[in-house]
Amino acid sequence: QVQLVESGGGLVQAGGSLRLSCVASGRTFSSYLMGWFRQAPDKEREFVGVISWSGGRTYYADSVKGRFTISRDNAKNTVHLQMNSLKPEDTAVYYCAASPNAWSRSESPKKTNYDYWGQGTQVTVSS
């Protein structure tokens, strides 16, 4: 089992930055792909980005590419989402998730690939 807890959300003006953190419990953290998803009010939960077991590979949704960066520290069982140049349309609840599956650019963005989810942290970007 893997338990995930997000933190770092808040209110920020457009153009600002936030760094989200996700702390995982479990000895096998390094064996999991770690993804970030977000869900705006009355919308479907959507893929943001994913990082591989080693941290050597990342993949991002087009909507955040060039602005968001995922990193992980396996020794601390932590994954981060650095969000820069934030836009009002980035407003959502952000979730981290863990996947035991193999790296795949086509499959890793799918919600069904992730077995474990955090409770989410609210990010609000004002105009």
mmCIF file with all atom_site columns, all heavy atoms in Angstrom, residues 33-59:
data_model
loop_
_atom_site.group_PDB
_atom_site.id
_atom_site.type_symbol
_atom_site.label_atom_id
_atom_site.label_alt_id
_atom_site.label_comp_id
_atom_site.label_asym_id
_atom_site.label_entity_id
_atom_site.label_seq_id
_atom_site.pdbx_PDB_ins_code
_atom_site.Cartn_x
_atom_site.Cartn_y
_atom_site.Cartn_z
_atom_site.occupancy
_atom_site.B_iso_or_equiv
_atom_site.pdbx_formal_charge
_atom_site.auth_seq_id
_atom_site.auth_comp_id
_atom_site.auth_asym_id
_atom_site.auth_atom_id
_atom_site.pdbx_PDB_model_num
ATOM 1   N N   . LEU A 1 33 ? 5.681   4.907  -10.721 1.00 0.00 ? 33 LEU A N   1
ATOM 2   C CA  . LEU A 1 33 ? 5.531   6.154  -11.446 1.00 0.00 ? 33 LEU A CA  1
ATOM 3   C C   . LEU A 1 33 ? 4.701   7.104  -10.590 1.00 0.00 ? 33 LEU A C   1
ATOM 4   O O   . LEU A 1 33 ? 3.769   6.676  -9.908  1.00 0.00 ? 33 LEU A O   1
ATOM 5   C CB  . LEU A 1 33 ? 4.813   5.927  -12.771 1.00 0.00 ? 33 LEU A CB  1
ATOM 6   C CG  . LEU A 1 33 ? 5.406   4.921  -13.755 1.00 0.00 ? 33 LEU A CG  1
ATOM 7   C CD1 . LEU A 1 33 ? 4.469   4.777  -14.950 1.00 0.00 ? 33 LEU A CD1 1
ATOM 8   C CD2 . LEU A 1 33 ? 6.785   5.356  -14.213 1.00 0.00 ? 33 LEU A CD2 1
ATOM 9   N N   . MET A 1 34 ? 5.031   8.373  -10.630 1.00 0.00 ? 34 MET A N   1
ATOM 10  C CA  . MET A 1 34 ? 4.284   9.363  -9.866  1.00 0.00 ? 34 MET A CA  1
ATOM 11  C C   . MET A 1 34 ? 3.696   10.394 -10.809 1.00 0.00 ? 34 MET A C   1
ATOM 12  O O   . MET A 1 34 ? 4.423   11.034 -11.565 1.00 0.00 ? 34 MET A O   1
ATOM 13  C CB  . MET A 1 34 ? 5.179   10.041 -8.833  1.00 0.00 ? 34 MET A CB  1
ATOM 14  C CG  . MET A 1 34 ? 5.687   9.103  -7.749  1.00 0.00 ? 34 MET A CG  1
ATOM 15  S SD  . MET A 1 34 ? 4.336   8.392  -6.753  1.00 0.00 ? 34 MET A SD  1
ATOM 16  C CE  . MET A 1 34 ? 3.644   9.874  -6.021  1.00 0.00 ? 34 MET A CE  1
ATOM 17  N N   . GLY A 1 35 ? 2.384   10.523 -10.753 1.00 0.00 ? 35 GLY A N   1
ATOM 18  C CA  . GLY A 1 35 ? 1.684   11.445 -11.624 1.00 0.00 ? 35 GLY A CA  1
ATOM 19  C C   . GLY A 1 35 ? 1.022   12.568 -10.857 1.00 0.00 ? 35 GLY A C   1
ATOM 20  O O   . GLY A 1 35 ? 0.762   12.464 -9.655  1.00 0.00 ? 35 GLY A O   1
ATOM 21  N N   . TRP A 1 36 ? 0.760   13.648 -11.570 1.00 0.00 ? 36 TRP A N   1
ATOM 22  C CA  . TRP A 1 36 ? -0.034  14.756 -11.054 1.00 0.00 ? 36 TRP A CA  1
ATOM 23  C C   . TRP A 1 36 ? -1.242  14.947 -11.954 1.00 0.00 ? 36 TRP A C   1
ATOM 24  O O   . TRP A 1 36 ? -1.121  14.943 -13.179 1.00 0.00 ? 36 TRP A O   1
ATOM 25  C CB  . TRP A 1 36 ? 0.771   16.052 -10.999 1.00 0.00 ? 36 TRP A CB  1
ATOM 26  C CG  . TRP A 1 36 ? 1.751   16.122 -9.874  1.00 0.00 ? 36 TRP A CG  1
ATOM 27  C CD1 . TRP A 1 36 ? 3.075   15.821 -9.906  1.00 0.00 ? 36 TRP A CD1 1
ATOM 28  C CD2 . TRP A 1 36 ? 1.475   16.545 -8.530  1.00 0.00 ? 36 TRP A CD2 1
ATOM 29  N NE1 . TRP A 1 36 ? 3.645   16.016 -8.683  1.00 0.00 ? 36 TRP A NE1 1
ATOM 30  C CE2 . TRP A 1 36 ? 2.682   16.465 -7.815  1.00 0.00 ? 36 TRP A CE2 1
ATOM 31  C CE3 . TRP A 1 36 ? 0.328   16.985 -7.868  1.00 0.00 ? 36 TRP A CE3 1
ATOM 32  C CZ2 . TRP A 1 36 ? 2.777   16.806 -6.464  1.00 0.00 ? 36 TRP A CZ2 1
ATOM 33  C CZ3 . TRP A 1 36 ? 0.429   17.322 -6.528  1.00 0.00 ? 36 TRP A CZ3 1
ATOM 34  C CH2 . TRP A 1 36 ? 1.639   17.227 -5.842  1.00 0.00 ? 36 TRP A CH2 1
ATOM 35  N N   . PHE A 1 37 ? -2.388  15.106 -11.329 1.00 0.00 ? 37 PHE A N   1
ATOM 36  C CA  . PHE A 1 37 ? -3.640  15.378 -12.018 1.00 0.00 ? 37 PHE A CA  1
ATOM 37  C C   . PHE A 1 37 ? -4.303  16.584 -11.374 1.00 0.00 ? 37 PHE A C   1
ATOM 38  O O   . PHE A 1 37 ? -3.951  16.972 -10.270 1.00 0.00 ? 37 PHE A O   1
ATOM 39  C CB  . PHE A 1 37 ? -4.574  14.166 -11.944 1.00 0.00 ? 37 PHE A CB  1
ATOM 40  C CG  . PHE A 1 37 ? -4.099  12.971 -12.726 1.00 0.00 ? 37 PHE A CG  1
ATOM 41  C CD1 . PHE A 1 37 ? -3.092  12.155 -12.233 1.00 0.00 ? 37 PHE A CD1 1
ATOM 42  C CD2 . PHE A 1 37 ? -4.662  12.657 -13.950 1.00 0.00 ? 37 PHE A CD2 1
ATOM 43  C CE1 . PHE A 1 37 ? -2.647  11.056 -12.943 1.00 0.00 ? 37 PHE A CE1 1
ATOM 44  C CE2 . PHE A 1 37 ? -4.234  11.557 -14.678 1.00 0.00 ? 37 PHE A CE2 1
ATOM 45  C CZ  . PHE A 1 37 ? -3.225  10.762 -14.171 1.00 0.00 ? 37 PHE A CZ  1
ATOM 46  N N   . ARG A 1 38 ? -5.266  17.150 -12.062 1.00 0.00 ? 38 ARG A N   1
ATOM 47  C CA  . ARG A 1 38 ? -6.007  18.260 -11.487 1.00 0.00 ? 38 ARG A CA  1
ATOM 48  C C   . ARG A 1 38 ? -7.466  18.187 -11.907 1.00 0.00 ? 38 ARG A C   1
ATOM 49  O O   . ARG A 1 38 ? -7.803  17.621 -12.943 1.00 0.00 ? 38 ARG A O   1
ATOM 50  C CB  . ARG A 1 38 ? -5.406  19.607 -11.893 1.00 0.00 ? 38 ARG A CB  1
ATOM 51  C CG  . ARG A 1 38 ? -5.509  19.928 -13.378 1.00 0.00 ? 38 ARG A CG  1
ATOM 52  C CD  . ARG A 1 38 ? -4.735  21.199 -13.691 1.00 0.00 ? 38 ARG A CD  1
ATOM 53  N NE  . ARG A 1 38 ? -4.860  21.583 -15.091 1.00 0.00 ? 38 ARG A NE  1
ATOM 54  C CZ  . ARG A 1 38 ? -4.215  22.605 -15.644 1.00 0.00 ? 38 ARG A CZ  1
ATOM 55  N NH1 . ARG A 1 38 ? -3.393  23.348 -14.912 1.00 0.00 ? 38 ARG A NH1 1
ATOM 56  N NH2 . ARG A 1 38 ? -4.394  22.883 -16.930 1.00 0.00 ? 38 ARG A NH2 1
ATOM 57  N N   . GLN A 1 39 ? -8.314  18.783 -11.090 1.00 0.00 ? 39 GLN A N   1
ATOM 58  C CA  . GLN A 1 39 ? -9.739  18.773 -11.365 1.00 0.00 ? 39 GLN A CA  1
ATOM 59  C C   . GLN A 1 39 ? -10.340 20.123 -11.001 1.00 0.00 ? 39 GLN A C   1
ATOM 60  O O   . GLN A 1 39 ? -10.342 20.515 -9.835  1.00 0.00 ? 39 GLN A O   1
ATOM 61  C CB  . GLN A 1 39 ? -10.440 17.659 -10.589 1.00 0.00 ? 39 GLN A CB  1
ATOM 62  C CG  . GLN A 1 39 ? -11.888 17.467 -10.966 1.00 0.00 ? 39 GLN A CG  1
ATOM 63  C CD  . GLN A 1 39 ? -12.451 16.164 -10.439 1.00 0.00 ? 39 GLN A CD  1
ATOM 64  O OE1 . GLN A 1 39 ? -11.896 15.551 -9.519  1.00 0.00 ? 39 GLN A OE1 1
ATOM 65  N NE2 . GLN A 1 39 ? -13.544 15.711 -11.027 1.00 0.00 ? 39 GLN A NE2 1
ATOM 66  N N   . ALA A 1 40 ? -10.831 20.813 -12.008 1.00 0.00 ? 40 ALA A N   1
ATOM 67  C CA  . ALA A 1 40 ? -11.521 22.074 -11.816 1.00 0.00 ? 40 ALA A CA  1
ATOM 68  C C   . ALA A 1 40 ? -12.982 21.804 -11.488 1.00 0.00 ? 40 ALA A C   1
ATOM 69  O O   . ALA A 1 40 ? -13.499 20.713 -11.765 1.00 0.00 ? 40 ALA A O   1
ATOM 70  C CB  . ALA A 1 40 ? -11.403 22.936 -13.071 1.00 0.00 ? 40 ALA A CB  1
ATOM 71  N N   . PRO A 1 41 ? -13.687 22.780 -10.901 1.00 0.00 ? 41 PRO A N   1
ATOM 72  C CA  . PRO A 1 41 ? -15.094 22.569 -10.555 1.00 0.00 ? 41 PRO A CA  1
ATOM 73  C C   . PRO A 1 41 ? -15.923 22.140 -11.758 1.00 0.00 ? 41 PRO A C   1
ATOM 74  O O   . PRO A 1 41 ? -15.823 22.730 -12.837 1.00 0.00 ? 41 PRO A O   1
ATOM 75  C CB  . PRO A 1 41 ? -15.533 23.937 -10.043 1.00 0.00 ? 41 PRO A CB  1
ATOM 76  C CG  . PRO A 1 41 ? -14.278 24.548 -9.515  1.00 0.00 ? 41 PRO A CG  1
ATOM 77  C CD  . PRO A 1 41 ? -13.200 24.087 -10.453 1.00 0.00 ? 41 PRO A CD  1
ATOM 78  N N   . ASP A 1 42 ? -16.697 21.099 -11.577 1.00 0.00 ? 42 ASP A N   1
ATOM 79  C CA  . ASP A 1 42 ? -17.617 20.587 -12.589 1.00 0.00 ? 42 ASP A CA  1
ATOM 80  C C   . ASP A 1 42 ? -16.911 20.086 -13.850 1.00 0.00 ? 42 ASP A C   1
ATOM 81  O O   . ASP A 1 42 ? -17.515 20.016 -14.922 1.00 0.00 ? 42 ASP A O   1
ATOM 82  C CB  . ASP A 1 42 ? -18.656 21.644 -12.967 1.00 0.00 ? 42 ASP A CB  1
ATOM 83  C CG  . ASP A 1 42 ? -19.501 22.084 -11.792 1.00 0.00 ? 42 ASP A CG  1
ATOM 84  O OD1 . ASP A 1 42 ? -19.875 21.216 -10.975 1.00 0.00 ? 42 ASP A OD1 1
ATOM 85  O OD2 . ASP A 1 42 ? -19.790 23.287 -11.695 1.00 0.00 ? 42 ASP A OD2 1
ATOM 86  N N   . LYS A 1 43 ? -15.635 19.726 -13.721 1.00 0.00 ? 43 LYS A N   1
ATOM 87  C CA  . LYS A 1 43 ? -14.899 19.187 -14.844 1.00 0.00 ? 43 LYS A CA  1
ATOM 88  C C   . LYS A 1 43 ? -14.258 17.856 -14.473 1.00 0.00 ? 43 LYS A C   1
ATOM 89  O O   . LYS A 1 43 ? -14.093 17.529 -13.304 1.00 0.00 ? 43 LYS A O   1
ATOM 90  C CB  . LYS A 1 43 ? -13.825 20.169 -15.319 1.00 0.00 ? 43 LYS A CB  1
ATOM 91  C CG  . LYS A 1 43 ? -14.369 21.438 -15.945 1.00 0.00 ? 43 LYS A CG  1
ATOM 92  C CD  . LYS A 1 43 ? -13.258 22.279 -16.541 1.00 0.00 ? 43 LYS A CD  1
ATOM 93  C CE  . LYS A 1 43 ? -13.802 23.509 -17.223 1.00 0.00 ? 43 LYS A CE  1
ATOM 94  N NZ  . LYS A 1 43 ? -12.715 24.330 -17.823 1.00 0.00 ? 43 LYS A NZ  1
ATOM 95  N N   . GLU A 1 44 ? -13.893 17.105 -15.493 1.00 0.00 ? 44 GLU A N   1
ATOM 96  C CA  . GLU A 1 44 ? -13.260 15.814 -15.295 1.00 0.00 ? 44 GLU A CA  1
ATOM 97  C C   . GLU A 1 44 ? -11.822 15.994 -14.814 1.00 0.00 ? 44 GLU A C   1
ATOM 98  O O   . GLU A 1 44 ? -11.144 16.954 -15.181 1.00 0.00 ? 44 GLU A O   1
ATOM 99  C CB  . GLU A 1 44 ? -13.294 15.030 -16.606 1.00 0.00 ? 44 GLU A CB  1
ATOM 100 C CG  . GLU A 1 44 ? -12.758 13.616 -16.513 1.00 0.00 ? 44 GLU A CG  1
ATOM 101 C CD  . GLU A 1 44 ? -12.815 12.885 -17.833 1.00 0.00 ? 44 GLU A CD  1
ATOM 102 O OE1 . GLU A 1 44 ? -13.274 13.475 -18.830 1.00 0.00 ? 44 GLU A OE1 1
ATOM 103 O OE2 . GLU A 1 44 ? -12.407 11.708 -17.873 1.00 0.00 ? 44 GLU A OE2 1
ATOM 104 N N   . ARG A 1 45 ? -11.371 15.062 -14.001 1.00 0.00 ? 45 ARG A N   1
ATOM 105 C CA  . ARG A 1 45 ? -9.986  15.083 -13.566 1.00 0.00 ? 45 ARG A CA  1
ATOM 106 C C   . ARG A 1 45 ? -9.069  14.851 -14.771 1.00 0.00 ? 45 ARG A C   1
ATOM 107 O O   . ARG A 1 45 ? -9.264  13.907 -15.537 1.00 0.00 ? 45 ARG A O   1
ATOM 108 C CB  . ARG A 1 45 ? -9.752  14.009 -12.513 1.00 0.00 ? 45 ARG A CB  1
ATOM 109 C CG  . ARG A 1 45 ? -8.414  14.103 -11.814 1.00 0.00 ? 45 ARG A CG  1
ATOM 110 C CD  . ARG A 1 45 ? -8.352  13.165 -10.613 1.00 0.00 ? 45 ARG A CD  1
ATOM 111 N NE  . ARG A 1 45 ? -9.388  13.478 -9.637  1.00 0.00 ? 45 ARG A NE  1
ATOM 112 C CZ  . ARG A 1 45 ? -9.497  12.877 -8.457  1.00 0.00 ? 45 ARG A CZ  1
ATOM 113 N NH1 . ARG A 1 45 ? -8.631  11.938 -8.102  1.00 0.00 ? 45 ARG A NH1 1
ATOM 114 N NH2 . ARG A 1 45 ? -10.483 13.213 -7.634  1.00 0.00 ? 45 ARG A NH2 1
ATOM 115 N N   . GLU A 1 46 ? -8.066  15.712 -14.931 1.00 0.00 ? 46 GLU A N   1
ATOM 116 C CA  . GLU A 1 46 ? -7.220  15.653 -16.105 1.00 0.00 ? 46 GLU A CA  1
ATOM 117 C C   . GLU A 1 46 ? -5.752  15.496 -15.745 1.00 0.00 ? 46 GLU A C   1
ATOM 118 O O   . GLU A 1 46 ? -5.292  15.922 -14.684 1.00 0.00 ? 46 GLU A O   1
ATOM 119 C CB  . GLU A 1 46 ? -7.406  16.903 -16.980 1.00 0.00 ? 46 GLU A CB  1
ATOM 120 C CG  . GLU A 1 46 ? -6.930  18.189 -16.331 1.00 0.00 ? 46 GLU A CG  1
ATOM 121 C CD  . GLU A 1 46 ? -7.025  19.385 -17.260 1.00 0.00 ? 46 GLU A CD  1
ATOM 122 O OE1 . GLU A 1 46 ? -7.356  19.203 -18.448 1.00 0.00 ? 46 GLU A OE1 1
ATOM 123 O OE2 . GLU A 1 46 ? -6.764  20.522 -16.802 1.00 0.00 ? 46 GLU A OE2 1
ATOM 124 N N   . PHE A 1 47 ? -5.019  14.916 -16.666 1.00 0.00 ? 47 PHE A N   1
ATOM 125 C CA  . PHE A 1 47 ? -3.597  14.664 -16.505 1.00 0.00 ? 47 PHE A CA  1
ATOM 126 C C   . PHE A 1 47 ? -2.801  15.955 -16.561 1.00 0.00 ? 47 PHE A C   1
ATOM 127 O O   . PHE A 1 47 ? -3.058  16.823 -17.393 1.00 0.00 ? 47 PHE A O   1
ATOM 128 C CB  . PHE A 1 47 ? -3.137  13.718 -17.615 1.00 0.00 ? 47 PHE A CB  1
ATOM 129 C CG  . PHE A 1 47 ? -1.657  13.516 -17.705 1.00 0.00 ? 47 PHE A CG  1
ATOM 130 C CD1 . PHE A 1 47 ? -0.989  12.725 -16.784 1.00 0.00 ? 47 PHE A CD1 1
ATOM 131 C CD2 . PHE A 1 47 ? -0.930  14.105 -18.721 1.00 0.00 ? 47 PHE A CD2 1
ATOM 132 C CE1 . PHE A 1 47 ? 0.373   12.521 -16.872 1.00 0.00 ? 47 PHE A CE1 1
ATOM 133 C CE2 . PHE A 1 47 ? 0.430   13.909 -18.824 1.00 0.00 ? 47 PHE A CE2 1
ATOM 134 C CZ  . PHE A 1 47 ? 1.083   13.112 -17.889 1.00 0.00 ? 47 PHE A CZ  1
ATOM 135 N N   . VAL A 1 48 ? -1.812  16.062 -15.679 1.00 0.00 ? 48 VAL A N   1
ATOM 136 C CA  . VAL A 1 48 ? -0.896  17.199 -15.672 1.00 0.00 ? 48 VAL A CA  1
ATOM 137 C C   . VAL A 1 48 ? 0.510   16.764 -16.087 1.00 0.00 ? 48 VAL A C   1
ATOM 138 O O   . VAL A 1 48 ? 1.113   17.344 -16.991 1.00 0.00 ? 48 VAL A O   1
ATOM 139 C CB  . VAL A 1 48 ? -0.845  17.870 -14.293 1.00 0.00 ? 48 VAL A CB  1
ATOM 140 C CG1 . VAL A 1 48 ? 0.224   18.960 -14.260 1.00 0.00 ? 48 VAL A CG1 1
ATOM 141 C CG2 . VAL A 1 48 ? -2.206  18.449 -13.936 1.00 0.00 ? 48 VAL A CG2 1
ATOM 142 N N   . GLY A 1 49 ? 1.038   15.744 -15.430 1.00 0.00 ? 49 GLY A N   1
ATOM 143 C CA  . GLY A 1 49 ? 2.374   15.264 -15.751 1.00 0.00 ? 49 GLY A CA  1
ATOM 144 C C   . GLY A 1 49 ? 2.710   14.009 -14.991 1.00 0.00 ? 49 GLY A C   1
ATOM 145 O O   . GLY A 1 49 ? 2.013   13.620 -14.055 1.00 0.00 ? 49 GLY A O   1
ATOM 146 N N   . VAL A 1 50 ? 3.801   13.355 -15.388 1.00 0.00 ? 50 VAL A N   1
ATOM 147 C CA  . VAL A 1 50 ? 4.230   12.116 -14.758 1.00 0.00 ? 50 VAL A CA  1
ATOM 148 C C   . VAL A 1 50 ? 5.745   12.055 -14.748 1.00 0.00 ? 50 VAL A C   1
ATOM 149 O O   . VAL A 1 50 ? 6.408   12.614 -15.635 1.00 0.00 ? 50 VAL A O   1
ATOM 150 C CB  . VAL A 1 50 ? 3.628   10.885 -15.482 1.00 0.00 ? 50 VAL A CB  1
ATOM 151 C CG1 . VAL A 1 50 ? 4.105   10.817 -16.937 1.00 0.00 ? 50 VAL A CG1 1
ATOM 152 C CG2 . VAL A 1 50 ? 3.940   9.596  -14.747 1.00 0.00 ? 50 VAL A CG2 1
ATOM 153 N N   . ILE A 1 51 ? 6.297   11.379 -13.748 1.00 0.00 ? 51 ILE A N   1
ATOM 154 C CA  . ILE A 1 51 ? 7.739   11.190 -13.647 1.00 0.00 ? 51 ILE A CA  1
ATOM 155 C C   . ILE A 1 51 ? 8.021   9.707  -13.420 1.00 0.00 ? 51 ILE A C   1
ATOM 156 O O   . ILE A 1 51 ? 7.277   9.024  -12.714 1.00 0.00 ? 51 ILE A O   1
ATOM 157 C CB  . ILE A 1 51 ? 8.344   12.070 -12.530 1.00 0.00 ? 51 ILE A CB  1
ATOM 158 C CG1 . ILE A 1 51 ? 9.875   12.032 -12.564 1.00 0.00 ? 51 ILE A CG1 1
ATOM 159 C CG2 . ILE A 1 51 ? 7.807   11.655 -11.160 1.00 0.00 ? 51 ILE A CG2 1
ATOM 160 C CD1 . ILE A 1 51 ? 10.512  13.127 -11.713 1.00 0.00 ? 51 ILE A CD1 1
ATOM 161 N N   . SER A 1 52 ? 9.099   9.214  -14.026 1.00 0.00 ? 52 SER A N   1
ATOM 162 C CA  . SER A 1 52 ? 9.423   7.796  -13.968 1.00 0.00 ? 52 SER A CA  1
ATOM 163 C C   . SER A 1 52 ? 10.014  7.411  -12.618 1.00 0.00 ? 52 SER A C   1
ATOM 164 O O   . SER A 1 52 ? 10.274  8.246  -11.754 1.00 0.00 ? 52 SER A O   1
ATOM 165 C CB  . SER A 1 52 ? 10.401  7.441  -15.090 1.00 0.00 ? 52 SER A CB  1
ATOM 166 O OG  . SER A 1 52 ? 11.630  8.120  -14.922 1.00 0.00 ? 52 SER A OG  1
ATOM 167 N N   . TRP A 1 53 ? 10.259  6.104  -12.451 1.00 0.00 ? 53 TRP A N   1
ATOM 168 C CA  . TRP A 1 53 ? 10.802  5.587  -11.188 1.00 0.00 ? 53 TRP A CA  1
ATOM 169 C C   . TRP A 1 53 ? 12.112  6.271  -10.804 1.00 0.00 ? 53 TRP A C   1
ATOM 170 O O   . TRP A 1 53 ? 12.308  6.633  -9.637  1.00 0.00 ? 53 TRP A O   1
ATOM 171 C CB  . TRP A 1 53 ? 11.064  4.084  -11.308 1.00 0.00 ? 53 TRP A CB  1
ATOM 172 C CG  . TRP A 1 53 ? 9.859   3.275  -11.633 1.00 0.00 ? 53 TRP A CG  1
ATOM 173 C CD1 . TRP A 1 53 ? 8.648   3.286  -10.998 1.00 0.00 ? 53 TRP A CD1 1
ATOM 174 C CD2 . TRP A 1 53 ? 9.753   2.298  -12.678 1.00 0.00 ? 53 TRP A CD2 1
ATOM 175 N NE1 . TRP A 1 53 ? 7.793   2.385  -11.587 1.00 0.00 ? 53 TRP A NE1 1
ATOM 176 C CE2 . TRP A 1 53 ? 8.446   1.762  -12.612 1.00 0.00 ? 53 TRP A CE2 1
ATOM 177 C CE3 . TRP A 1 53 ? 10.635  1.830  -13.658 1.00 0.00 ? 53 TRP A CE3 1
ATOM 178 C CZ2 . TRP A 1 53 ? 8.007   0.780  -13.491 1.00 0.00 ? 53 TRP A CZ2 1
ATOM 179 C CZ3 . TRP A 1 53 ? 10.189  0.845  -14.537 1.00 0.00 ? 53 TRP A CZ3 1
ATOM 180 C CH2 . TRP A 1 53 ? 8.891   0.334  -14.446 1.00 0.00 ? 53 TRP A CH2 1
ATOM 181 N N   . SER A 1 54 ? 12.994  6.432  -11.770 1.00 0.00 ? 54 SER A N   1
ATOM 182 C CA  . SER A 1 54 ? 14.305  7.013  -11.506 1.00 0.00 ? 54 SER A CA  1
ATOM 183 C C   . SER A 1 54 ? 14.305  8.531  -11.513 1.00 0.00 ? 54 SER A C   1
ATOM 184 O O   . SER A 1 54 ? 15.270  9.153  -11.056 1.00 0.00 ? 54 SER A O   1
ATOM 185 C CB  . SER A 1 54 ? 15.317  6.511  -12.532 1.00 0.00 ? 54 SER A CB  1
ATOM 186 O OG  . SER A 1 54 ? 15.013  7.003  -13.820 1.00 0.00 ? 54 SER A OG  1
ATOM 187 N N   . GLY A 1 55 ? 13.253  9.120  -12.046 1.00 0.00 ? 55 GLY A N   1
ATOM 188 C CA  . GLY A 1 55 ? 13.220  10.556 -12.220 1.00 0.00 ? 55 GLY A CA  1
ATOM 189 C C   . GLY A 1 55 ? 13.852  11.031 -13.507 1.00 0.00 ? 55 GLY A C   1
ATOM 190 O O   . GLY A 1 55 ? 13.904  12.233 -13.769 1.00 0.00 ? 55 GLY A O   1
ATOM 191 N N   . GLY A 1 56 ? 14.311  10.095 -14.335 1.00 0.00 ? 56 GLY A N   1
ATOM 192 C CA  . GLY A 1 56 ? 14.991  10.454 -15.562 1.00 0.00 ? 56 GLY A CA  1
ATOM 193 C C   . GLY A 1 56 ? 14.071  10.795 -16.723 1.00 0.00 ? 56 GLY A C   1
ATOM 194 O O   . GLY A 1 56 ? 14.535  11.333 -17.728 1.00 0.00 ? 56 GLY A O   1
ATOM 195 N N   . ARG A 1 57 ? 12.812  10.471 -16.594 1.00 0.00 ? 57 ARG A N   1
ATOM 196 C CA  . ARG A 1 57 ? 11.843  10.750 -17.649 1.00 0.00 ? 57 ARG A CA  1
ATOM 197 C C   . ARG A 1 57 ? 10.660  11.511 -17.082 1.00 0.00 ? 57 ARG A C   1
ATOM 198 O O   . ARG A 1 57 ? 10.171  11.194 -15.997 1.00 0.00 ? 57 ARG A O   1
ATOM 199 C CB  . ARG A 1 57 ? 11.350  9.463  -18.293 1.00 0.00 ? 57 ARG A CB  1
ATOM 200 C CG  . ARG A 1 57 ? 12.420  8.653  -19.011 1.00 0.00 ? 57 ARG A CG  1
ATOM 201 C CD  . ARG A 1 57 ? 11.809  7.421  -19.637 1.00 0.00 ? 57 ARG A CD  1
ATOM 202 N NE  . ARG A 1 57 ? 12.792  6.599  -20.320 1.00 0.00 ? 57 ARG A NE  1
ATOM 203 C CZ  . ARG A 1 57 ? 12.505  5.499  -20.995 1.00 0.00 ? 57 ARG A CZ  1
ATOM 204 N NH1 . ARG A 1 57 ? 11.247  5.077  -21.082 1.00 0.00 ? 57 ARG A NH1 1
ATOM 205 N NH2 . ARG A 1 57 ? 13.466  4.797  -21.579 1.00 0.00 ? 57 ARG A NH2 1
ATOM 206 N N   . THR A 1 58 ? 10.216  12.494 -17.814 1.00 0.00 ? 58 THR A N   1
ATOM 207 C CA  . THR A 1 58 ? 9.005   13.228 -17.473 1.00 0.00 ? 58 THR A CA  1
ATOM 208 C C   . THR A 1 58 ? 8.176   13.446 -18.723 1.00 0.00 ? 58 THR A C   1
ATOM 209 O O   . THR A 1 58 ? 8.697   13.449 -19.844 1.00 0.00 ? 58 THR A O   1
ATOM 210 C CB  . THR A 1 58 ? 9.318   14.585 -16.832 1.00 0.00 ? 58 THR A CB  1
ATOM 211 O OG1 . THR A 1 58 ? 10.193  15.332 -17.684 1.00 0.00 ? 58 THR A OG1 1
ATOM 212 C CG2 . THR A 1 58 ? 9.971   14.402 -15.469 1.00 0.00 ? 58 THR A CG2 1
ATOM 213 N N   . TYR A 1 59 ? 6.894   13.629 -18.517 1.00 0.00 ? 59 TYR A N   1
ATOM 214 C CA  . TYR A 1 59 ? 5.979   13.886 -19.610 1.00 0.00 ? 59 TYR A CA  1
ATOM 215 C C   . TYR A 1 59 ? 4.869   14.778 -19.085 1.00 0.00 ? 59 TYR A C   1
ATOM 216 O O   . TYR A 1 59 ? 4.363   14.564 -17.982 1.00 0.00 ? 59 TYR A O   1
ATOM 217 C CB  . TYR A 1 59 ? 5.413   12.572 -20.154 1.00 0.00 ? 59 TYR A CB  1
ATOM 218 C CG  . TYR A 1 59 ? 4.478   12.732 -21.316 1.00 0.00 ? 59 TYR A CG  1
ATOM 219 C CD1 . TYR A 1 59 ? 4.943   13.181 -22.545 1.00 0.00 ? 59 TYR A CD1 1
ATOM 220 C CD2 . TYR A 1 59 ? 3.124   12.433 -21.196 1.00 0.00 ? 59 TYR A CD2 1
ATOM 221 C CE1 . TYR A 1 59 ? 4.085   13.331 -23.618 1.00 0.00 ? 59 TYR A CE1 1
ATOM 222 C CE2 . TYR A 1 59 ? 2.261   12.577 -22.263 1.00 0.00 ? 59 TYR A CE2 1
ATOM 223 C CZ  . TYR A 1 59 ? 2.749   13.026 -23.475 1.00 0.00 ? 59 TYR A CZ  1
ATOM 224 O OH  . TYR A 1 59 ? 1.898   13.167 -24.543 1.00 0.00 ? 59 TYR A OH  1
#
